[in-house]
Amino acid sequence: SDYEQLGYNLRSNLFRGGPLKSRSLMRDSYTPDIIQKAIRDPNNWHGRRIYELGKWYEKYFLDLNVQKAMKDKYG
């Protein structure tokens, strides 16, 4: 059956998984000097500041807690 065939293939390691060396689109698209010049600022995450993300998550979880409380109270 298909299940037994799959089990045989897994046991005999025909499915070896992904490549050992991963590739990225950025490394393939740009020359090494561009990648070395790139500045990574941990405080500026994709154009947003960390505290802005924190405020967003705080509002998001507050909204979830309000929805949960309303559901518990009113069904």
Side-chain angles (χ1 to χ4, degrees), residues 10-38:
L10 287 171
R11 286 191 303 277
S12 62
N13 200 16
L14 291 179
F15 304 123
R16 302 194 195 289
L20 295 177
K21 184 177 179 184
S22 63
R23 300 180 60 136
S24 78
L25 182 62
M26 181 178 173
R27 291 196 187 274
D28 291 343
S29 301
Y30 297 105
T31 57
D33 60 326
I34 297 294
I35 296 171
Q36 290 171 356
K37 290 180 191 174

Side-chain angles (χ1 to χ4, degrees), residues 1-2 5 7 9-10 13 15 17 22 24 29-31 34 37-38 41 45 47-48 53 56-57 61 64 66 68 74:
S1 72
D2 292 336
Q5 186 69 27
N9 290 335
L10 287 171
N13 200 16
F15 304 123
S22 63
S24 78
S29 301
Y30 297 105
T31 57
I34 297 294
K37 290 180 191 174
D41 185 9
W45 186 75
R48 296 186 179 191
L53 290 174
W56 184 88
Y57 274 107
F61 285 115
L64 285 179
V66 168
K68 186 176 178 183
Y74 298 112

Side-chain angles (χ1 to χ4, degrees), residues 40-74:
R40 293 187 180 141
D41 185 9
N43 293 327
N44 191 353
W45 186 75
H46 292 288
R48 296 186 179 191
R49 302 232 177 255
I50 295 297
Y51 62 87
E52 291 174 355
L53 290 174
K55 287 180 184 179
W56 184 88
Y57 274 107
E58 185 179 354
K59 289 179 183 178
Y60 174 71
F61 285 115
L62 181 64
D63 183 51
L64 285 179
N65 289 338
V66 168
Q67 287 180 5
K68 186 176 178 183
M70 294 285 281
K71 185 177 179 183
D72 290 344
K73 185 172 183 178
Y74 298 112

